[in-house]
Amino acid sequence: MYNKMQYISQGNTIEEQLYNIHQALDAGCDWIQMRFKNQTAKDTFALAEAVKFLCEEYLANFIVNDNLYLAQQIAADGVHLGLSDMKIDEARAILGSTKIIGGTANTFEDIQNHVKNGCDYIGLGPFRFTKTKEKLSPILGLSGYFEILQKMKKNKIEIPVYAIGGITLKDISPLMKAGIHGIAVSGIITESPEKKLLIQQLNEKLYANTIV
């Protein structure tokens, strides 16, 4: 089963990204989604190569955000596609069945489409307003998650759903009760002076009712 916490990388330069990713891995993150927007192909490739090496060293999953061909080129573990990126079924045809493909969703209909097209997990959000993303979809809040996850249950749709968008420690328990599988976080980890402790606390809440 998939890990319950993904770290979505931050940083405007290769150095900043690598520093933040290394810190997150060191503090116990075992799933990295590399998000490096509006950069040259050369820089993005250089960063991806370095991140792949780091993730291998820490035995962490390595997912590339948006860039399917880069994920294929460097043999990443998979790709995460936004609503305006390549379609999931096209990506599946290119990457094959062994790679992880995640998709962003904002509605129940988005999830239905993704599942039908062979998606492996859903990043559902945003939970609340976040500065990390430029074009924000309508904010869901706890009630939005609850409603969508209930519809999934009713329609017998089973796929790991990650909550994303400005999530804090105190949000995790109510979100887990609503039925999410895990969380995708960014700023909360990047900006924490106590990363190890924070990741420990996040994991404690994420795995609180899990029978291992």
Side-chain angles (χ1 to χ4, degrees):
M1 201 43 184
Y2 292 144
N3 320 20
K4 293 194 174 194
M5 181 168 50
Q6 302 184 15
Y7 170 63
I8 301 174
S9 71
Q10 285 186 306
N12 298 318
T13 63
I14 293 175
E15 291 72 27
E16 277 176 27
Q17 283 264 343
L18 280 178
Y19 176 78
N20 289 334
I21 289 167
H22 203 165
Q23 291 261 308
L25 287 165
D26 222 23
C29 269
D30 46 16
W31 183 304
I32 303 292
Q33 186 190 133
M34 186 189 100
R35 194 168 182 272
F36 197 41
K37 297 279 192 186
N38 313 319
Q39 306 288 337
T40 65
K42 189 174 163 232
D43 279 0
T44 310
F45 184 80
L47 175 63
E49 268 197 321
V51 177
K52 187 186 180 209
F53 179 78
L54 270 178
C55 286
E56 280 172 356
E57 203 180 316
Y58 282 87
L59 304 178
N61 278 326
F62 173 37
I63 303 288
V64 174
N65 183 282
D66 290 357
N67 197 330
L68 176 111
Y69 294 105
L70 176 63
Q72 187 185 32
Q73 208 179 355
I74 61 154
D77 294 308
V79 69
H80 183 95
L81 299 169
L83 287 166
S84 57
D85 296 326
M86 180 187 272
K87 298 280 178 283
I88 302 281
D89 52 353
E90 287 171 35
R92 179 62 73 205
I94 293 163
L95 283 185
S97 60
T98 59
K99 296 295 181 185
I100 299 167
I101 299 179
T104 298
N106 181 244
T107 64
F108 173 66
E109 289 68 34
D110 292 338
I111 295 173
Q112 272 182 313
N113 286 334
H114 286 342
V115 170
K116 192 176 78 208
N117 290 324
C119 196
D120 292 308
Y121 74 86
I122 301 290
L124 178 65
F127 176 64
R128 65 162 61 88
F129 178 77
T130 171
K131 298 192 296 288
T132 312
K133 210 150 188 216
E134 281 167 27
K135 298 186 187 86
L136 216 57
S137 296
I139 288 163
L140 294 173
L142 193 59
S143 57
Y145 278 87
F146 189 76
E147 204 178 303
I148 290 170
L149 289 152
Q150 284 302 312
K151 274 189 193 166
M152 284 175 70
K153 221 179 243 173
K154 218 166 81 182
N155 289 274
K156 297 189 168 51
I157 294 173
E158 285 185 23
I159 188 170
V161 172
Y162 289 80
I164 182 167
I167 289 157
T168 65
L169 199 54
K170 67 178 192 311
D171 299 321
I172 296 176
S173 296
L175 278 167
M176 294 302 282
K177 278 198 186 90
I180 61 151
H181 171 74
I183 57 169
V185 285
S186 197
I188 186 178
I189 289 176
T190 308
E191 288 150 30
S192 169
E194 292 274 352
K195 291 181 177 51
K196 247 193 184 90
L197 178 65
L198 173 67
I199 286 165
Q200 200 181 329
Q201 291 169 329
L202 290 167
N203 276 326
E204 268 167 21
K205 287 191 180 291
L206 286 166
Y207 290 93
N209 302 311
T210 307
I211 298 152
V212 180

